[in-house]
Amino acid sequence: MRTRVLPAFGSRQLAHITTTDIKAWVAALEAAGLAPMTIRKCYQLLGRVLDEAADAGFIAASPCRRVQLPSDVRAEPVLLAPEHVSAIAERIEPRYRGLVLTAAYTGLRWGELTGLRVRRVDFLRRRIDVAEVLVEVDGELSFGPPKTRTSRAQVSFPPFLTDELGAHVAAFSDPDAQRGLVFTSDDGTPLRRSNFRRRVWMPAVAAAGAPAGARFHDLRHACASWLIHAGANPLEVAAKLRHARVTTTLATYGHLFPGTDDRLDASLADTYAESLAAQPRPNGAVTRISGGANPR
Protein backbone atom coordinates (compact mmCIF):
# COMPACT_ATOMS: atom_id res chain seq x y z
CA MET A 1 0.00 0.00 0.00
CA ARG A 2 2.71 2.45 1.02
CA THR A 3 5.11 1.82 -1.85
CA ARG A 4 2.86 0.88 -4.77
CA VAL A 5 -0.76 1.97 -4.27
CA LEU A 6 -0.64 5.27 -2.40
CA PRO A 7 2.02 6.90 -4.62
CA ALA A 8 -0.27 6.34 -7.62
CA PHE A 9 -3.72 6.93 -6.10
CA GLY A 10 -3.28 8.39 -2.61
CA SER A 11 -4.06 11.96 -3.67
CA ARG A 12 -6.82 11.08 -6.14
CA GLN A 13 -10.52 11.44 -5.48
CA LEU A 14 -12.16 8.02 -5.49
CA ALA A 15 -14.75 8.99 -8.08
CA HIS A 16 -12.04 10.18 -10.47
CA ILE A 17 -10.13 6.87 -10.57
CA THR A 18 -11.01 5.11 -13.83
CA THR A 19 -10.41 1.67 -15.23
CA THR A 20 -8.05 3.28 -17.75
CA ASP A 21 -6.01 4.74 -14.87
CA ILE A 22 -5.71 1.31 -13.28
CA LYS A 23 -4.68 -0.33 -16.56
CA ALA A 24 -1.95 2.30 -16.98
CA TRP A 25 -0.82 1.71 -13.38
CA VAL A 26 -0.59 -2.06 -13.92
CA ALA A 27 1.40 -1.46 -17.12
CA ALA A 28 3.77 0.83 -15.22
CA LEU A 29 4.33 -1.80 -12.53
CA GLU A 30 5.10 -4.37 -15.20
CA ALA A 31 7.50 -1.97 -16.95
CA ALA A 32 9.25 -1.40 -13.62
CA GLY A 33 10.11 -5.10 -13.54
CA LEU A 34 7.82 -6.27 -10.76
CA ALA A 35 7.04 -9.98 -10.71
CA PRO A 36 3.58 -10.98 -12.01
CA MET A 37 2.53 -12.26 -8.58
CA THR A 38 3.59 -8.98 -6.94
CA ILE A 39 1.54 -7.01 -9.47
CA ARG A 40 -1.46 -9.24 -8.82
CA LYS A 41 -1.18 -8.67 -5.08
CA CYS A 42 -0.96 -4.90 -5.58
CA TYR A 43 -4.02 -4.99 -7.82
CA GLN A 44 -5.95 -7.16 -5.37
CA LEU A 45 -5.14 -4.75 -2.55
CA LEU A 46 -6.36 -1.75 -4.54
CA GLY A 47 -9.42 -3.75 -5.59
CA ARG A 48 -10.37 -4.48 -1.97
CA VAL A 49 -10.13 -0.78 -1.11
CA LEU A 50 -12.32 0.24 -4.05
CA ASP A 51 -14.81 -2.55 -3.35
CA GLU A 52 -15.16 -1.24 0.21
CA ALA A 53 -15.66 2.27 -1.18
CA ALA A 54 -18.42 1.00 -3.47
CA ASP A 55 -20.09 -0.91 -0.63
CA ALA A 56 -20.02 2.24 1.50
CA GLY A 57 -21.62 4.28 -1.29
CA PHE A 58 -18.65 6.56 -1.96
CA ILE A 59 -18.50 5.41 -5.59
CA ALA A 60 -21.08 3.76 -7.82
CA ALA A 61 -18.88 0.78 -8.71
CA SER A 62 -15.26 -0.29 -8.43
CA PRO A 63 -13.15 0.59 -11.50
CA CYS A 64 -11.12 -2.57 -10.89
CA ARG A 65 -12.76 -4.56 -13.67
CA ARG A 66 -11.68 -5.99 -17.01
CA VAL A 67 -8.04 -5.20 -16.24
CA GLN A 68 -5.68 -7.68 -17.86
CA LEU A 69 -2.99 -8.76 -15.44
CA PRO A 70 0.37 -10.36 -16.32
CA SER A 71 0.18 -14.13 -16.29
CA ASP A 72 1.76 -15.83 -13.33
CA VAL A 73 3.79 -18.47 -15.17
CA ARG A 74 6.16 -19.89 -12.60
CA ALA A 75 9.34 -21.67 -13.50
CA GLU A 76 9.61 -25.33 -12.60
CA PRO A 77 11.42 -25.70 -9.28
CA VAL A 78 14.92 -27.12 -9.32
CA LEU A 79 14.70 -30.47 -7.56
CA LEU A 80 17.79 -30.92 -5.44
CA ALA A 81 18.83 -34.46 -4.59
CA PRO A 82 19.90 -35.27 -1.00
CA GLU A 83 23.52 -35.46 -2.13
CA HIS A 84 23.25 -31.94 -3.59
CA VAL A 85 22.02 -30.55 -0.29
CA SER A 86 24.71 -32.38 1.68
CA ALA A 87 27.36 -31.01 -0.69
CA ILE A 88 26.05 -27.46 -0.32
CA ALA A 89 25.98 -27.82 3.48
CA GLU A 90 29.60 -29.01 3.45
CA ARG A 91 30.86 -26.20 1.25
CA ILE A 92 28.87 -23.26 2.58
CA GLU A 93 30.29 -21.07 5.34
CA PRO A 94 30.06 -23.06 8.62
CA ARG A 95 27.61 -20.64 10.27
CA TYR A 96 25.08 -21.36 7.50
CA ARG A 97 25.36 -25.15 7.46
CA GLY A 98 22.52 -25.52 9.98
CA LEU A 99 20.37 -23.09 7.99
CA VAL A 100 20.67 -25.19 4.83
CA LEU A 101 19.98 -28.50 6.55
CA THR A 102 17.05 -27.14 8.56
CA ALA A 103 15.47 -25.68 5.41
CA ALA A 104 15.83 -28.94 3.50
CA TYR A 105 14.67 -31.30 6.25
CA THR A 106 11.77 -29.26 7.64
CA GLY A 107 10.50 -27.40 4.56
CA LEU A 108 10.50 -24.09 6.43
CA ARG A 109 10.46 -20.92 4.33
CA TRP A 110 13.22 -18.31 4.29
CA GLY A 111 11.33 -15.79 6.41
CA GLU A 112 10.32 -18.48 8.91
CA LEU A 113 13.96 -19.53 9.33
CA THR A 114 15.47 -16.04 9.51
CA GLY A 115 12.77 -14.99 12.00
CA LEU A 116 13.20 -18.09 14.17
CA ARG A 117 14.20 -17.44 17.77
CA VAL A 118 16.09 -19.90 19.96
CA ARG A 119 13.25 -20.07 22.48
CA ARG A 120 10.97 -21.37 19.71
CA VAL A 121 13.05 -24.56 19.26
CA ASP A 122 12.08 -27.49 21.48
CA PHE A 123 15.10 -29.77 21.32
CA LEU A 124 13.55 -32.48 23.53
CA ARG A 125 10.34 -32.87 21.51
CA ARG A 126 12.07 -32.00 18.21
CA ARG A 127 9.61 -29.26 17.36
CA ILE A 128 9.97 -25.77 15.89
CA ASP A 129 7.26 -23.29 16.78
CA VAL A 130 6.64 -21.17 13.68
CA ALA A 131 5.26 -18.07 15.40
CA GLU A 132 6.73 -15.17 13.42
CA VAL A 133 8.66 -14.41 10.26
CA LEU A 134 11.26 -11.87 9.19
CA VAL A 135 10.02 -9.70 6.33
CA GLU A 136 12.08 -7.38 4.13
CA VAL A 137 10.27 -4.66 2.17
CA ASP A 138 12.28 -2.04 0.26
CA GLY A 139 15.31 -2.71 2.42
CA GLU A 140 13.44 -2.45 5.72
CA LEU A 141 13.40 -5.50 8.01
CA SER A 142 10.51 -6.24 10.36
CA PHE A 143 9.02 -9.16 12.24
CA GLY A 144 5.45 -10.19 11.64
CA PRO A 145 3.02 -13.10 11.78
CA PRO A 146 3.44 -16.17 9.53
CA LYS A 147 2.22 -16.17 5.95
CA THR A 148 -1.15 -17.78 6.72
CA ARG A 149 -3.00 -19.23 9.69
CA THR A 150 -1.98 -22.67 8.45
CA SER A 151 1.66 -21.59 8.49
CA ARG A 152 1.45 -20.94 12.24
CA ALA A 153 2.24 -24.42 13.50
CA GLN A 154 4.57 -26.75 15.34
CA VAL A 155 6.94 -28.29 12.78
CA SER A 156 8.81 -31.48 13.62
CA PHE A 157 12.39 -32.18 12.59
CA PRO A 158 14.42 -35.42 12.28
CA PRO A 159 16.71 -36.53 15.13
CA PHE A 160 20.00 -35.64 13.43
CA LEU A 161 18.95 -31.98 13.31
CA THR A 162 18.90 -31.90 17.11
CA ASP A 163 22.69 -32.17 17.13
CA GLU A 164 23.11 -29.86 14.13
CA LEU A 165 20.94 -27.12 15.61
CA GLY A 166 22.43 -27.55 19.07
CA ALA A 167 25.96 -27.15 17.72
CA HIS A 168 24.88 -24.18 15.62
CA VAL A 169 23.26 -22.33 18.53
CA ALA A 170 26.31 -23.00 20.71
CA ALA A 171 28.72 -21.65 18.10
CA PHE A 172 26.72 -18.88 16.45
CA SER A 173 24.15 -17.69 18.98
CA ASP A 174 22.63 -14.23 18.49
CA PRO A 175 24.57 -11.69 20.57
CA ASP A 176 21.31 -9.82 21.16
CA ALA A 177 19.87 -11.86 24.05
CA GLN A 178 16.44 -10.24 23.76
CA ARG A 179 16.16 -10.93 20.05
CA GLY A 180 17.72 -14.39 20.27
CA LEU A 181 17.63 -15.35 16.59
CA VAL A 182 18.82 -18.83 15.60
CA PHE A 183 20.25 -17.80 12.23
CA THR A 184 22.06 -14.51 11.73
CA SER A 185 24.63 -12.92 9.42
CA ASP A 186 28.38 -12.80 10.08
CA ASP A 187 28.01 -9.70 12.25
CA GLY A 188 25.14 -11.17 14.25
CA THR A 189 22.39 -9.13 12.60
CA PRO A 190 19.23 -10.49 10.90
CA LEU A 191 19.84 -12.07 7.50
CA ARG A 192 18.95 -10.26 4.29
CA ARG A 193 17.88 -12.49 1.42
CA SER A 194 19.64 -10.62 -1.41
CA ASN A 195 22.97 -10.36 0.43
CA PHE A 196 22.84 -14.01 1.47
CA ARG A 197 22.01 -15.17 -2.05
CA ARG A 198 24.82 -13.22 -3.69
CA ARG A 199 27.57 -13.60 -1.12
CA VAL A 200 26.89 -17.01 0.39
CA TRP A 201 24.33 -19.15 -1.41
CA MET A 202 25.38 -18.89 -5.06
CA PRO A 203 29.09 -19.54 -4.39
CA ALA A 204 28.19 -22.59 -2.28
CA VAL A 205 25.88 -23.98 -4.97
CA ALA A 206 28.62 -23.59 -7.58
CA ALA A 207 31.27 -25.15 -5.34
CA ALA A 208 28.98 -28.10 -4.57
CA GLY A 209 28.27 -28.80 -8.25
CA ALA A 210 24.54 -28.50 -7.60
CA PRO A 211 22.17 -27.65 -10.48
CA ALA A 212 22.74 -24.14 -11.78
CA GLY A 213 19.99 -21.72 -10.87
CA ALA A 214 19.08 -23.49 -7.62
CA ARG A 215 17.46 -21.07 -5.19
CA PHE A 216 17.31 -21.25 -1.43
CA HIS A 217 13.55 -21.82 -1.74
CA ASP A 218 14.33 -24.98 -3.71
CA LEU A 219 15.37 -26.55 -0.41
CA ARG A 220 11.67 -26.47 0.50
CA HIS A 221 10.84 -28.12 -2.82
CA ALA A 222 13.53 -30.71 -2.11
CA CYS A 223 11.86 -31.59 1.18
CA ALA A 224 8.56 -32.15 -0.60
CA SER A 225 10.10 -34.26 -3.35
CA TRP A 226 11.90 -36.49 -0.83
CA LEU A 227 8.68 -37.04 1.10
CA ILE A 228 6.89 -38.03 -2.10
CA HIS A 229 9.71 -40.39 -3.04
CA ALA A 230 9.41 -41.98 0.42
CA GLY A 231 5.73 -42.73 -0.26
CA ALA A 232 3.98 -39.81 1.44
CA ASN A 233 0.54 -39.03 0.01
CA PRO A 234 -0.62 -35.51 -0.98
CA LEU A 235 -2.35 -34.89 2.35
CA GLU A 236 0.79 -35.77 4.31
CA VAL A 237 2.96 -33.55 2.12
CA ALA A 238 0.46 -30.69 2.40
CA ALA A 239 0.47 -31.04 6.20
CA LYS A 240 4.28 -31.04 6.39
CA LEU A 241 4.60 -27.97 4.18
CA ARG A 242 1.59 -26.33 5.88
CA HIS A 243 -0.25 -25.65 2.65
CA ALA A 244 -3.71 -24.23 3.30
CA ARG A 245 -5.16 -26.46 0.56
CA VAL A 246 -4.06 -29.83 -0.75
CA THR A 247 -4.75 -28.45 -4.24
CA THR A 248 -1.70 -26.22 -3.78
CA THR A 249 0.40 -29.31 -3.13
CA LEU A 250 -1.00 -31.11 -6.16
CA ALA A 251 -0.57 -28.09 -8.43
CA THR A 252 3.10 -27.79 -7.45
CA TYR A 253 4.13 -31.41 -6.99
CA GLY A 254 1.39 -33.49 -8.63
CA HIS A 255 3.70 -34.64 -11.41
CA LEU A 256 6.07 -36.13 -8.82
CA PHE A 257 3.63 -38.58 -7.29
CA PRO A 258 4.71 -41.88 -8.87
CA GLY A 259 2.34 -44.08 -10.79
CA THR A 260 -0.78 -42.15 -9.85
CA ASP A 261 -2.52 -42.64 -13.20
CA ASP A 262 -1.53 -46.32 -13.43
CA ARG A 263 -2.76 -46.99 -9.90
CA LEU A 264 -6.09 -45.28 -10.52
CA ASP A 265 -6.56 -47.07 -13.84
CA ALA A 266 -5.86 -50.42 -12.16
CA SER A 267 -8.46 -49.60 -9.52
CA LEU A 268 -11.03 -48.79 -12.20
CA ALA A 269 -10.19 -52.03 -14.00
CA ASP A 270 -10.81 -53.94 -10.77
CA THR A 271 -14.15 -52.19 -10.36
CA TYR A 272 -15.16 -53.16 -13.88
CA ALA A 273 -14.07 -56.76 -13.36
CA GLU A 274 -16.07 -56.98 -10.12
CA SER A 275 -19.16 -55.65 -11.88
CA LEU A 276 -18.87 -58.37 -14.51
CA ALA A 277 -18.26 -61.03 -11.90
CA ALA A 278 -21.49 -60.08 -10.19
CA GLN A 279 -23.55 -60.61 -13.34
CA PRO A 280 -25.39 -64.00 -13.36
CA ARG A 281 -24.68 -66.27 -16.33
CA PRO A 282 -27.54 -67.81 -18.33
CA ASN A 283 -27.36 -71.09 -16.42
CA GLY A 284 -27.52 -69.25 -13.08
CA ALA A 285 -23.80 -69.40 -12.36
CA VAL A 286 -21.92 -66.30 -11.40
CA THR A 287 -18.97 -65.19 -13.51
CA ARG A 288 -15.73 -65.21 -11.50
CA ILE A 289 -13.06 -62.88 -12.78
CA SER A 290 -9.92 -61.93 -10.90
CA GLY A 291 -9.30 -58.21 -10.31
CA GLY A 292 -7.85 -56.46 -13.34
CA ALA A 293 -8.15 -59.49 -15.62
CA ASN A 294 -9.51 -59.12 -19.11
CA PRO A 295 -13.02 -60.64 -19.16
CA ARG A 296 -13.85 -63.24 -21.79
Side-chain angles (χ1 to χ4, degrees), residues 38-99:
T38 302
I39 296 174
R40 286 176 174 270
K41 289 180 179 178
C42 291
Y43 176 80
Q44 290 166 0
L45 179 59
L46 176 62
R48 287 199 295 270
V49 172
L50 294 175
D51 284 342
E52 290 286 345
D55 291 342
F58 295 125
I59 55 178
S62 170
C64 277
R65 61 183 188 277
R66 296 191 296 276
V67 176
Q68 184 173 359
L69 301 175
S71 60
D72 181 28
V73 180
R74 303 186 183 186
E76 286 289 328
V78 175
L79 295 181
L80 296 170
E83 54 268 27
H84 292 143
V85 173
S86 294
I88 293 172
E90 289 296 328
R91 288 161 177 78
I92 206 165
E93 294 179 29
R95 76 175 302 118
Y96 302 116
R97 170 186 171 86
L99 176 64

Side-chain angles (χ1 to χ4, degrees), residues 67-192:
V67 176
Q68 184 173 359
L69 301 175
S71 60
D72 181 28
V73 180
R74 303 186 183 186
E76 286 289 328
V78 175
L79 295 181
L80 296 170
E83 54 268 27
H84 292 143
V85 173
S86 294
I88 293 172
E90 289 296 328
R91 288 161 177 78
I92 206 165
E93 294 179 29
R95 76 175 302 118
Y96 302 116
R97 170 186 171 86
L99 176 64
V100 169
L101 293 175
T102 303
Y105 286 92
T106 64
L108 291 179
R109 303 175 178 91
W110 168 264
E112 295 167 344
L113 290 161
T114 55
L116 179 63
R117 304 181 194 271
V118 176
R119 68 175 185 271
R120 301 288 187 182
V121 182
D122 186 336
F123 288 94
L124 292 178
R125 296 176 57 245
R126 291 189 289 107
R127 294 291 186 274
I128 291 174
D129 182 16
V130 182
E132 57 188 329
V133 299
L134 182 65
V135 181
E136 182 176 356
V137 179
D138 291 339
E140 296 292 330
L141 294 174
S142 62
F143 292 92
K147 184 177 179 181
T148 64
R149 283 181 295 179
T150 309
S151 298
R152 174 66 170 92
Q154 296 272 334
V155 177
S156 63
F157 56 86
F160 81 90
L161 269 183
T162 303
D163 294 335
E164 291 284 352
L165 285 172
H168 172 87
V169 169
F172 307 108
S173 58
D174 189 346
D176 187 330
Q178 183 176 3
R179 189 174 54 201
L181 295 175
V182 174
F183 303 109
T184 61
S185 61
D186 292 341
D187 58 2
T189 57
L191 283 165
R192 294 180 179 270

